[in-house]
Amino acid sequence: MSSAPATDEGPHFVASIVIPAHDEERVIGRTLGALLDGSGRFDVVVVCNGCTDRTADLARSMGPAVRVLEIAEASKSAAVRAGNAATDVFPRVHLDADVEVSGADVVRLVEALDDEGVLATAPRRLVPREGCHPLVRWYLDVWEQLPQVADGLFARGVIALSRPGQDRVDALPRVMSDDLAISDAFAAHERRVVDTATVIVRPPRTVGDLLRRRVRVATGNAQATAVGVRRAGSATGLSTLGQIVRDRPALAPRVIVFLAVTVVARARARRLVRSGDFTTWHRDESSRS
């Protein structure tokens, strides 16, 4: 367990950053190294949940700038709750353990929250394709063209919230697709993608890992829809894909791949939804290599 929680009584912290981490020894050093670039002082809380590897030790090795909590339950939502309870500093940044964003870009996200009416921000997404199977690259080429993917705050691994924004998120039901629920909790004028900030989100490299990730997403989307936290505009329909083909005919073969992956993932997800399994985390490992 780390030292006592920090507070926001003084001006010394730019923001707090809560990082849930489950068996992330391969990437936690990379994530924290990018974050701690000296651009701003953050209250960084890494919550190792149900870890069986060296995640906690590696996080602690980053020095006093990082506080590490350990909980027994392997649950992202439980980790987020523990991290939120450990700090009173606002704005609050929620950061996945497997993405890369610099401290300077986190500062840009926080600064954007000063604009009137903006409660939630996220950075521009960079998805490197190196080492990915061609079919994975084709899928991503279509996925990045989806309007909701371009405009939403989800699937970026970083969301910054003002205090009122965090209060709104705290009132949401706990769901598997937490980033989607957070994004859809805010109207378009209340959320912003900050183009001057960038996050690196490494995609699955294999088709099998892509399917595993999409099964998780499809399961989470079904749950979010059932409990009423998913906006209708966040769903992908055939009309959206048709418009992509009309705008960019060269993507037509890639749209077929996108549809095939989506159909298979949704079919596999239906079994999980019927059984009420919204806790099994189908994680891809190839993006962490």
Side-chain angles (χ1 to χ4, degrees), residues 82-110:
N84 283 335
T87 179
D88 293 327
V89 178
F90 284 94
R92 180 75 39 81
V93 179
H94 295 276
L95 176 64
D96 288 351
D98 61 339
V99 301
E100 291 176 63
V101 62
S102 70
D105 283 342
V106 170
V107 171
R108 294 184 180 98
L109 298 180
V110 169

Side-chain angles (χ1 to χ4, degrees), residues 211 215 218-219 222 263-278 280 282:
L211 278 171
V215 168
T219 305
V263 168
V264 172
R266 288 180 179 177
R268 294 181 181 179
R270 277 196 290 272
R271 293 193 292 269
L272 298 171
V273 172
R274 283 197 297 267
S275 67
D277 183 0
F278 299 110
T280 299
H282 295 270

Side-chain angles (χ1 to χ4, degrees), residues 18 22 27 42 50 74 90 99 120 125 132-133 154 160-161 174 176 186 189 196 208 217 249 253 257:
V18 174
H22 172 71
V27 295
F42 308 111
F90 284 94
V99 301
R125 182 194 302 107
C132 291
H133 189 282
F154 58 87
L161 300 171
R174 299 187 185 102
M176 191 179 213
F186 301 97
H189 69 278
T196 56
V217 170
V257 171

